[in-house]
């Protein structure tokens, strides 16, 4: 009886231990799930909240988006009014009534600088969105499917890599109407291969990981694996490059407009304002200073946000 009691007691202890471990498993599993969900993106968000560069850049970007969306909040005038420019005010210096002075045509530089933000921001956001959708989508397909599809898309991408961004933009825009939408489309056509390569490389690194193999072994379909496992883990470097490239596309639009083949009058952009001011910048430096400063601050703000996002999403920098 004693041995039986001991055996039964040991069995009871084992059962209790098993029951305890089994009972703890759900809690532990929930904890692991929470840790898994809080791994990359929540850690990145927490780091961004503490990063002063991201906060400063984010505030500047938010302010620029508001200016571009509702310029009427910051100025009562409009550069598109027939009486907006008067030649008798040509090249007048800044004053308390007109903070940025007047340009060569007698137009208020402050009003034009505020309204010019719209086209520049439109080009940056629209181009980046198109590049992420086209380049990211094709890169995801090429990396996940592989084989002939990957080879064909990779060779097709190399054709666009051979065309420099500004040179290709100059050639294409010379035969197209100059506005923010056509500039965005042209820059997206020339810019998507970079995102394609980054997404393809990221997918190739993640497609053979253990969690993908386990999901496939459990019977998950291709679409589910792609959306639930591959895409969330492969998209981080694409987001980083897209955030930094947004400022680059704004600069490219300004360069094209400066050369006279980007945004065309009567539309306004900072590149056009810089182009007009370059003729008399020694005589009236304020005409060149303010649109150039607005362009530089905008590009810097988006690059600051992109750098902060890169630092937050790169595990090697933690």
């Amino acid at each position: 009886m004693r041995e039986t009691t001991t055996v039964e007691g040991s069995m009871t202890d084992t059962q209790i231990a098993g029951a305890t471990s089994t009972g703890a498993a759900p809690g532990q599993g929930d904890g692991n799930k929470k840790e898994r969900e809080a791994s990359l993106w929540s850690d990145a968000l927490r780091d961004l909240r503490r990063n002063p560069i991201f906060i400063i850049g984010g505030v500047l970007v938010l302010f620029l988006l508001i200016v571009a969306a509702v310029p009427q909040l910051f100025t009562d005038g409009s550069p598109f009014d027939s009486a907006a420019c008067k030649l008798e005010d040509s090249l007048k210096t800044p004053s308390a009534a007109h903070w940025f002075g007047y340009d060569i045509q007698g137009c208020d530089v402050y009003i034009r600088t505020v309204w010019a933000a719209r086209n520049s921001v439109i080009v940056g956001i629209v181009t980046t969105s198109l590049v992420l959708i086209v380049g990211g989508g094709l890169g995801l397909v090429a990396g996940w499917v592989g084989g002939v599809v990957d080879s064909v898309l990779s060779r097709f991408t190399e054709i666009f890599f051979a065309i420099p961004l500004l040179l290709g933009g100059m050639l294409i825009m010379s035969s197209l109407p100059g506005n923010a939408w056509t500039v965005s489309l042209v820059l997206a056509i020339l810019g998507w291969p970079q995102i394609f390569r980054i997404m393809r490389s990221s997918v190739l690194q993640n497609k053979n990981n253990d969690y993908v193999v386990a999901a496939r072994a459990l019977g998950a379909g291709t679409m589910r694996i792609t959306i639930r496992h591959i895409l969330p883990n492969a998209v981080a470097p694409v987001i980083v490059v897209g955030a930094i490239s947004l400022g680059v596309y704004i600069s490219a639009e300004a360069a094209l407009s400066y050369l006279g083949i980007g945004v065309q009058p009567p539309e306004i952009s900072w590149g056009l304002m810089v182009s007009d001011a370059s003729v008399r910048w020694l005589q009236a430096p304020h005409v060149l200073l303010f649109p150039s400063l607005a362009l530089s601050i905008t590009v810097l703000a988006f690059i600051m946000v992109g750098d902060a996002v890169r630092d937050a999403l790169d595990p090697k920098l933690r």
Side-chain angles (χ1 to χ4, degrees):
M1 292 293 295
R2 182 170 194 148
E3 291 180 2
T4 304
T5 304
T6 305
V7 173
E8 290 177 355
S10 63
M11 289 176 64
T12 304
D13 293 338
T14 304
Q15 291 174 353
I16 293 173
T20 305
S21 62
T22 304
Q28 186 176 3
D30 293 341
N32 291 337
K33 183 177 180 181
K34 292 178 181 179
E35 290 177 1
R36 195 162 53 247
E37 291 176 351
S39 57
L40 179 62
W41 296 103
S42 23
D43 285 350
L45 183 60
R46 184 173 61 252
D47 291 343
L48 290 175
R49 288 174 179 172
R50 297 187 232 172
N51 192 335
I53 294 178
F54 176 78
I55 294 174
I56 295 173
V59 169
L60 289 174
V61 168
L62 180 61
F63 174 75
L64 290 167
L65 292 177
I66 295 174
V67 172
V70 195
Q72 297 87 349
L73 292 177
F74 302 91
T75 176
D76 295 331
S78 171
F80 305 109
D81 292 341
S82 57
C85 303
K86 300 178 181 179
L87 287 177
E88 58 265 27
D89 295 329
S90 178
L91 299 181
K92 283 186 177 179
T93 56
S95 62
H98 302 279
W99 297 349
F100 293 0
Y102 292 88
D103 64 6
I104 299 174
Q105 302 297 326
C107 304
D108 193 303
V109 177
Y110 172 76
I111 295 177
R112 290 176 64 84
T113 301
V114 170
W115 280 84
R118 173 171 293 178
N119 281 326
S120 298
V121 172
I122 285 176
V123 169
I125 293 177
V126 173
T127 303
T128 303
S129 301
L130 292 175
V131 163
L132 290 176
I133 293 172
V134 176
L138 293 178
L140 179 63
V141 172
W144 178 245
V145 176
V148 177
V149 175
D150 184 19
S151 299
V152 172
L153 289 176
S154 297
R155 301 296 81 76
F156 180 69
T157 304
E158 291 173 358
I159 298 174
F160 290 89
F161 260 114
I163 306 175
L165 183 65
L166 284 180
L167 179 59
M170 292 169 58
L171 293 175
I172 300 175
M173 286 300 303
S174 60
S175 58
L176 293 176
N179 56 62
W181 304 103
T182 55
V183 173
S184 301
L185 180 61
V186 169
L187 293 178
I189 291 173
L190 299 173
W192 68 268
Q194 181 186 20
I195 298 297
F196 170 86
R197 282 196 169 183
I198 294 172
M199 175 61 87
R200 174 182 175 273
S201 175
S202 184
V203 170
L204 290 175
Q205 291 176 0
N206 287 277
K207 66 183 293 185
N208 294 321
N209 285 343
D210 293 340
Y211 58 85
V212 177
V213 176
R216 190 183 289 113
L218 291 172
T222 301
M223 186 63 67
R224 180 180 177 83
I225 294 175
T226 303
I227 296 176
R228 295 291 301 274
H229 300 286
I230 295 295
L231 186 59
N233 290 281
V235 76
V238 174
I239 293 177
V240 171
V241 175
I244 297 175
S245 298
L246 202 152
V248 175
Y249 293 131
I250 293 177
S251 300
E253 178 277 323
L256 292 174
S257 299
Y258 178 84
L259 296 172
I261 54 177
V263 176
Q264 299 292 323
E267 296 293 327
I268 308 171
S269 79
W270 291 323
L272 272 177
M273 295 181 66
V274 170
S275 178
D276 295 338
S278 61
V279 181
R280 297 284 187 89
W281 71 274
L282 288 176
Q283 181 181 355
H286 65 276
V287 181
L288 177 64
L289 173 64
F290 294 109
S292 301
L293 189 61
L295 176 62
S296 300
I297 291 174
T298 302
V299 174
L300 178 62
F302 282 108
I303 291 178
M304 289 171 64
V305 171
D307 285 341
V309 172
R310 179 200 60 194
D311 295 343
L313 292 178
D314 191 349
K316 298 178 182 177
L317 300 177
R318 293 184 182 278

